[in-house]
Amino acid sequence: MAMLAPSLLSADFANLKEEIKKIEDGGAHYLHLDVMDGVYVPNISFGAPVIKSLRRITKLPFDVHLMVDRPERYIKDFVDAGSDIITVHEEATVHLHRTIQLIKSFGVKAGVSLNPSTPIENLEYVIEDIDLILIMSVNPGFGGQSFIHAMADKIKKTRKIIDERNLDIILEVDGGIKLNNVREIVDYGADLIVAGSDIFGVEDVVQRTKDFIKVIV
């Protein structure tokens, strides 16, 4: 069974409480929170203060994706804000192992994200220390992009590595995932699905969340 983490980046920012309530009513398993700094990626989204305020209105686990340069500088801020999983980009931190250990030192799950051009082999010497691998199936920084089909093999390869080593790692996929392709991505081996515009961008968010879950379980 796969799980669903709707991405708040595609929600109506003027009505975040109502938007989160809709995905809760639809049965979402996580809330995916994309933090962008305008340096590592072109856009700027929101930071720890917003996440801290959201923590008061929902019990959904917070899947926090830091698309920021040198994320080690902000780990404690996002822990204090209520993050349950903190994912950093392999390409954004100089000392990846140290950053992973810092996250885990706070009792929070540590994830590592790989951009489309970054091979899974880059995680060879840290893979046994992490709780989640996030495969980006678009280039990070913008919502509404199309799934990069070359990522199908990357997802399958990562799934094989996790299974062969019997690792307790969540395989998450983010980018270009819609109701009409999500089943394929689960079949490739994904455990956790991130979808944004195809959930928050429709008229009936509650029903669309239910539709996603019906397809992926």
Side-chain angles (χ1 to χ4, degrees):
M1 167 183 166
M3 295 177 289
L4 181 66
S7 173
L8 199 70
L9 193 62
S10 296
D12 178 359
F13 274 50
N15 298 286
L16 289 181
K17 184 175 182 178
E18 293 82 357
E19 295 280 76
I20 292 172
K21 179 66 163 54
K22 291 174 185 176
I23 63 166
E24 286 179 324
D25 291 346
H29 305 97
Y30 289 82
L31 180 62
H32 188 81
L33 297 157
D34 288 305
V35 177
M36 301 188 290
D37 65 352
V39 178
Y40 180 67
V41 292
N43 281 335
I44 297 172
S45 59
F46 49 79
V50 171
I51 293 175
K52 186 174 183 178
S53 69
L54 296 177
R55 182 72 285 170
R56 298 195 299 267
I57 64 172
T58 180
K59 293 183 179 180
L60 284 173
F62 281 2
D63 172 29
V64 177
H65 177 196
L66 298 184
M67 289 180 272
V68 304
D69 184 55
R70 292 183 290 155
E72 60 274 8
R73 297 176 293 166
Y74 309 110
I75 298 303
K76 188 175 186 303
D77 292 337
F78 287 99
V79 170
D80 292 344
S83 305
D84 296 284
I85 304 170
I86 296 178
T87 297
V88 300
H89 274 258
E90 185 269 344
E91 310 89 353
T93 182
V94 176
H95 300 290
L96 179 59
H97 182 270
R98 180 182 295 166
T99 302
I100 291 167
Q101 296 306 314
L102 176 61
I103 295 169
K104 293 173 76 75
S105 73
F106 292 107
V108 172
K109 290 184 177 180
V112 177
S113 182
L114 300 176
N115 285 335
S117 63
T118 304
I120 183 62
E121 286 80 6
N122 283 26
L123 299 186
E124 174 65 27
Y125 298 106
V126 298
I127 195 166
E128 295 192 4
D129 296 307
I130 58 182
D131 304 294
L132 179 146
I133 296 172
L134 171 54
I135 302 293
M136 292 301 299
S137 45
V138 298
N139 288 295
F142 298 93
Q145 300 181 67
S146 297
F147 182 85
I148 298 173
H149 291 287
M151 295 304 99
D153 287 340
K154 189 174 182 180
I155 298 165
K156 293 174 186 176
K157 185 174 185 178
T158 306
R159 175 83 270 156
K160 184 178 179 182
I161 291 169
I162 291 170
D163 291 346
E164 286 182 347
R165 300 191 185 188
N166 196 29
L167 298 171
D168 185 17
I169 293 176
I170 298 168
L171 177 52
E172 183 174 28
V173 181
D174 180 7
I177 301 178
K178 302 183 182 301
L179 193 59
N180 63 10
N181 68 359
V182 66
R183 184 67 241 177
E184 297 174 27
I185 295 161
V186 171
D187 290 342
Y188 297 151
D191 298 309
L192 184 58
I193 296 293
V194 178
S197 58
D198 206 42
I199 291 180
F200 287 111
V202 305
E203 185 173 347
D204 191 340
V205 174
V206 176
Q207 185 59 49
R208 181 54 65 96
T209 304
K210 291 179 179 178
D211 291 342
F212 261 86
I213 292 172
K214 188 183 299 182
V215 171
I216 67 178
V217 296

